[in-house]
Amino acid sequence: MTDDEAGFAEFVAGRQAALSRTAYLLTGDHHLAQDLVQAALLQAAKHWRRIHTSPEAYVRRAMYHQNISWWRRRRHVTEMSLGAYDGASTSPDTDLRLTLDEALGHLTTKQRTVLVLRFYEDLTEVETARALGLSTSTVKSTTRHALARLRTLAPELAELIGADA
């Protein structure tokens, strides 16, 4: 195994769980999340020599862009959810998680992506705009509309969203 291959394998082993969590939040589906991570890691592997100094930023950006590309391709296709069939959660906050998951499922892909970057990835509005290739004002308005929609769809999430957000 070369040094490049070893470095890539070490990166994947160390960051795959965090990347998978972000991918799930972006897609809302465990299987699509796995596909998204694999597609981004494939791109990273191809360009490892160039990106090895900051691979996580590259992989995350690849995930954001790939998710948007997938959304654009399938936005005219009607999908039926099979529901959660991966097993029961053992989390004590299962009701809250299910409520949040259902509410996020009613957002557009753009709204969901902006919220994930802003509040899960903790990016600023400017960083989110740069990552998605949008203007800062578009990120602000998308965030505002997405939070308003969440307040309408799941008022019980108000404590998570915050009264002044």
Side-chain angles (χ1 to χ4, degrees):
M1 184 179 282
T2 67
D3 288 342
D4 285 343
E5 290 171 344
F8 181 73
E10 183 179 323
F11 169 74
V12 171
R15 300 305 302 154
Q16 188 165 11
L19 294 171
S20 294
R21 284 190 297 273
T22 299
Y24 175 76
L25 290 171
L26 290 170
T27 63
D29 179 90
H30 291 287
H31 303 288
L32 282 176
Q34 290 172 350
D35 291 345
L36 186 60
V37 171
Q38 291 302 314
L41 289 174
L42 178 62
Q43 285 183 357
K46 289 178 183 177
H47 302 287
W48 185 254
R49 287 185 179 189
R50 186 170 40 105
I51 66 159
H52 74 278
T53 56
S54 61
E56 185 149 358
Y58 180 91
V59 171
R60 287 181 183 277
R61 187 173 178 110
M63 285 177 17
Y64 308 148
H65 287 277
Q66 185 67 44
N67 187 50
I68 290 170
S69 294
W70 288 351
W71 170 75
R72 286 181 179 147
R73 274 185 271 178
R74 66 178 188 260
R75 69 176 149 189
H76 300 293
V77 176
T78 304
E79 296 180 2
M80 290 182 51
S81 174
L82 296 176
Y85 55 87
D86 288 333
S89 172
T90 58
S91 170
D93 296 326
T94 300
D95 290 338
L96 179 62
R97 184 187 57 77
L98 290 173
T99 301
L100 180 60
D101 192 42
E102 182 178 338
L104 287 174
H106 290 354
L107 298 177
T108 67
T109 301
K110 182 179 179 181
Q111 289 174 332
R112 185 182 186 118
T113 301
V114 167
L115 289 185
V116 167
L117 295 182
R118 290 281 294 120
F119 300 109
Y120 181 74
E121 295 288 322
D122 202 26
L123 298 182
T124 66
E125 291 163 339
V126 172
E127 292 168 333
T128 301
R130 193 175 305 125
L132 297 176
L134 303 171
S135 69
T136 304
S137 60
T138 299
V139 169
K140 289 178 182 180
S141 66
T142 301
T143 301
R144 185 178 67 251
H145 292 295
L147 292 176
R149 192 163 183 191
L150 285 178
R151 284 186 194 99
T152 301
L153 293 171
E156 60 274 18
L157 296 176
E159 66 186 45
L160 290 177
I161 296 171
D164 58 346

